[in-house]
Every structure is written in structure tokens, then in C-alpha cells.
Amino acid sequence: MRAARIVALVIILSSVAQITAQDKPKKPALDLGPLLAKTSLTHKEVEKGTWEVQYRGKQLESITVRVVPAEEGVFFFVRLYNRDALSLSRNLLLKILEMNSEFDYAKLALNEDVLYVRIDSRATSITPADLEHLAEQAALVADEATKTIRDFLP
């Protein structure tokens, strides 16, 4: 009888914990506008809360860094190649892995549509100087990765 009460209590408590976790409201994404205004970056809002910054590279004439806040993070993306333009050979995939090891906090990622550079940062501690630095790093990595990946294009 006592064991049945303990089991019932555990079930009730776990149900309450699940309901509480599900009902917990998500934090709104960081408003990047005021932070970007304090930088020297030329930026434009392309969608509500999504910003783009332009760079000129050595390999690429124009590099677009997309800066996107989401919940507790700020994410920097640079599109490199459409996936269907790549020949996903073993050598290319190994080179992408090697570049991921080479770049400290920027990573190359491949989804169903595109190969891209991605940098993640916590929104709670990001400063205008961090925004400038991370956007520039995303552009530099994209430029360097493009130079290497071109050798693997069909």
C-alpha cells in the first residue's frame, strides 16, 4: 500500500514538472537593432529581427553575413554553395571536417539546401564589439573556405 502511494506521488510530481516545463514561456529574441547601431557595421534589417552585413573578401566580391537572434542566442550565417552545386565526394567532406577543426569557433555546416558558415554566440553577454568581431570572423571564414572548396567543385 505504501509503495503504491509513493508510485502515485512520483507520477503526479512528474506530470506537474512536465506541464510546468511545457508552459514555460520562451524568452523573446534579443533586439539587435540598438546593438548594431552602436557598431561601425553597415547593416540592414531584411526581416523582422534578421539583419544582414556586407563584406568584401579576397576570394568573394561580396560576402553577406546574416545575423539572427533566437531565444538566448545570436547566430551568424554565410551561405557558401547550394548543395546541388557540390559534388559531395569523400575528399570534399573530409576537407570540410578538417576546416571545422582548423577554424576555432566558426563551423561549416551542410543542410538539405546549402553549405554555409555558422557561428553561435550567447545573446545574454554579446556586446556591439562582439557583434562586429563575430560578423567579420564569419566573413573571413567564408572567404577562406571558398578558396579551398573551389578545388572540389565539378
Side-chain angles (χ1 to χ4, degrees), residues 13-28:
L13 289 176
S14 67
S15 297
V16 169
Q18 286 177 354
I19 291 169
T20 304
Q22 290 172 356
D23 292 343
K24 189 175 184 180
K26 291 183 179 180
K27 277 188 163 182

Side-chain angles (χ1 to χ4, degrees), residues 109-150:
L110 179 66
N111 67 20
E112 60 276 353
D113 299 320
V114 67
L115 175 67
Y116 60 96
V117 172
R118 175 181 174 151
I119 296 178
D120 301 350
S121 178
R122 291 188 47 86
T124 55
S125 59
I126 199 161
T127 66
D130 294 334
L131 277 175
E132 283 192 58
H133 176 72
L134 293 171
E136 181 180 15
Q137 287 301 304
L140 289 170
V141 168
D143 201 46
E144 184 65 29
T146 298
K147 177 179 150 186
T148 303
I149 292 169
R150 278 187 181 152

Side-chain angles (χ1 to χ4, degrees), residues 58-107:
K58 292 179 182 176
Q59 306 301 316
L60 298 169
E61 200 170 297
S62 176
I63 302 169
T64 301
V65 178
R66 192 166 265 220
V67 185
V68 182
E71 293 187 31
E72 295 182 13
V74 177
F75 305 92
F76 300 80
F77 300 99
V78 180
R79 293 176 66 100
L80 297 178
Y81 294 100
N82 288 334
R83 184 178 175 140
D84 58 5
L86 297 170
S87 172
L88 296 178
S89 67
R90 179 180 187 274
N91 289 340
L92 172 60
L93 296 174
L94 284 172
K95 183 52 76 176
I96 290 170
L97 289 172
E98 289 169 359
M99 285 189 290
N100 276 339
S101 176
E102 181 182 329
F103 302 128
D104 291 331
Y105 45 90
K107 297 300 169 210

Side-chain angles (χ1 to χ4, degrees), residues 40-51:
S40 63
L41 298 173
T42 302
H43 57 278
K44 67 177 180 178
E45 191 171 26
V46 292
E47 296 174 20
K48 182 164 175 45
T50 299
W51 299 82

